[in-house]
Amino acid sequence: MNEIRKTIDPQALADEVYEAIGEISCSLRADYRHAIDALIECAADSPNEAGKLDRANDVLRCIAENDDIARSDHIAICQDTGSVWVCLEAGPDIVFGGDVFSLVDDAVARAYKDNALRMSIVRDALVDRSNTGNNTPAFCEVKFRAEAGCSLHVMLKGGGSDNASRVVMLAPGAGRGGIIDEVLDCVREKAANACPPLVLGIGIGATFDKVASLAKHALLRPLGSFAPDPETQDLEREILERVNALGIGPGALGGMPSALAVNIETAPCHIAALPLAINMGCCAMRSKTIELFR
């Protein structure tokens, strides 16, 4: 029996991107909002000595209120409406009959105009920093997987959180301790500019150009989930605990939490290398995953 193949339709993909931008630009990702609400509820059950919420809880309430207003009025949740990252995660049953991303830029341009979103993309990083005027091009990639089906990931990534991110090539001997030290150093230096509470996507392994992709994909993982192996899970927990112990806090005004989650993705690498990438996700977590084929 011949295996049934499924073909990606560029127009259908572009339509999904258009709809996703309109949704996620005006609302926090559901798991992030749930985590914020849980923290607010916990604080309400345990008031401080003065009977008032501290600054950290005030910030959390502002984040929730901002989300409520943005959803109700269908307005941008953050003035930095981000660059558009589109990733197709495809299984062996998926067929690419051409450039499946050919209509994505048109969808992005329409979505940003129709939803009155800020245009943030320049024509060239070096030679022409004039605004493209429609927030294109989108940054698109394909990731292959062993499982059948196809998932479409759309993320709006603000400049503040990306600017706070880091890629380093550690010596192999740096090991676990070196990874932790590098992450904490990055958070100390940059977290206040990335609008905490954060989600830290961390990539470990692969090559210089691929490790950043691991970190970005790690941001897609639901909050409260863990890496598949116990050792990586333990590292996620330790880094989260130590990041929160820094006391940077929501809005960088002190208190807890500085981060809601640490998600790590690992990969093989060269014997002489220990690639590490830290991609910060800010308090405007805006991403959506759509199952095109299951």
Side-chain angles (χ1 to χ4, degrees), residues 34-253:
H34 178 75
I36 294 293
D37 287 342
L39 288 167
I40 293 171
E41 183 177 351
C42 180
D45 292 337
S46 304
N48 59 28
E49 293 181 2
K52 298 180 181 179
L53 295 172
D54 60 19
R55 286 179 297 181
N57 294 322
D58 286 339
V59 173
L60 295 176
R61 287 184 177 277
C62 286
I63 291 171
E65 182 181 6
N66 181 64
D67 184 38
D68 290 339
I69 294 171
R71 289 172 187 265
S72 174
D73 295 352
H74 196 77
I75 55 176
I77 200 167
C78 177
Q79 72 274 16
D80 184 350
T81 55
S83 57
V84 180
W85 178 64
V86 178
C87 175
L88 268 179
E89 196 172 350
D93 57 331
I94 301 302
V95 174
F96 293 85
D99 182 2
V100 294
F101 297 128
S102 60
L103 301 178
V104 165
D105 279 353
D106 175 70
V108 170
R110 288 188 293 109
Y112 270 70
K113 179 181 179 182
D114 293 349
N115 293 282
L117 305 178
R118 192 186 82 181
M119 313 301 181
S120 303
I121 302 301
V122 300
R123 298 182 187 280
D124 186 272
L126 179 63
V127 300
D128 183 2
R129 292 193 65 90
S130 62
N131 199 299
T132 63
N134 57 13
N135 219 65
T136 69
F139 300 93
C140 304
E141 68 175 76
V142 175
K143 182 179 180 181
F144 295 104
R145 68 187 189 195
E147 299 83 10
C150 185
S151 302
L152 170 66
H153 307 292
V154 182
M155 180 184 292
L156 308 185
K157 197 68 165 62
S161 59
D162 256 11
N163 287 346
S165 301
R166 181 177 296 184
V167 175
V168 293
M169 302 298 287
L170 298 174
R176 178 189 176 106
I179 291 170
I180 294 172
D181 289 345
E182 192 68 39
V183 174
L184 293 178
D185 180 67
C186 182
V187 171
R188 286 191 196 95
E189 181 182 349
K190 299 290 189 178
N193 296 325
C195 301
L198 309 169
V199 178
L200 297 180
I202 297 176
I204 303 171
T207 56
F208 172 80
D209 57 317
K210 299 295 184 184
V211 69
S213 181
L214 289 176
K216 195 158 194 174
H217 279 273
L219 290 177
L220 296 171
R221 213 178 77 205
L223 275 64
S225 63
F226 295 98
D229 66 282
E231 186 172 353
T232 306
Q233 289 178 21
D234 184 64
L235 182 58
E236 289 176 338
R237 293 188 185 97
E238 181 175 355
I239 292 177
L240 180 61
E241 181 180 335
R242 295 185 63 174
V243 164
N244 283 331
L246 296 175
I248 294 168
L253 295 176

Side-chain angles (χ1 to χ4, degrees), residues 233-290:
Q233 289 178 21
D234 184 64
L235 182 58
E236 289 176 338
R237 293 188 185 97
E238 181 175 355
I239 292 177
L240 180 61
E241 181 180 335
R242 295 185 63 174
V243 164
N244 283 331
L246 296 175
I248 294 168
L253 295 176
M256 289 277 284
S258 304
L260 298 180
V262 172
N263 295 346
I264 297 176
E265 284 201 13
T266 64
C269 71
H270 192 281
I271 58 173
L274 180 55
L276 171 67
I278 305 148
N279 195 201
M280 294 195 187
C282 65
C283 66
M285 282 295 293
R286 298 163 294 183
S287 69
K288 183 176 183 179
T289 295
I290 303 107

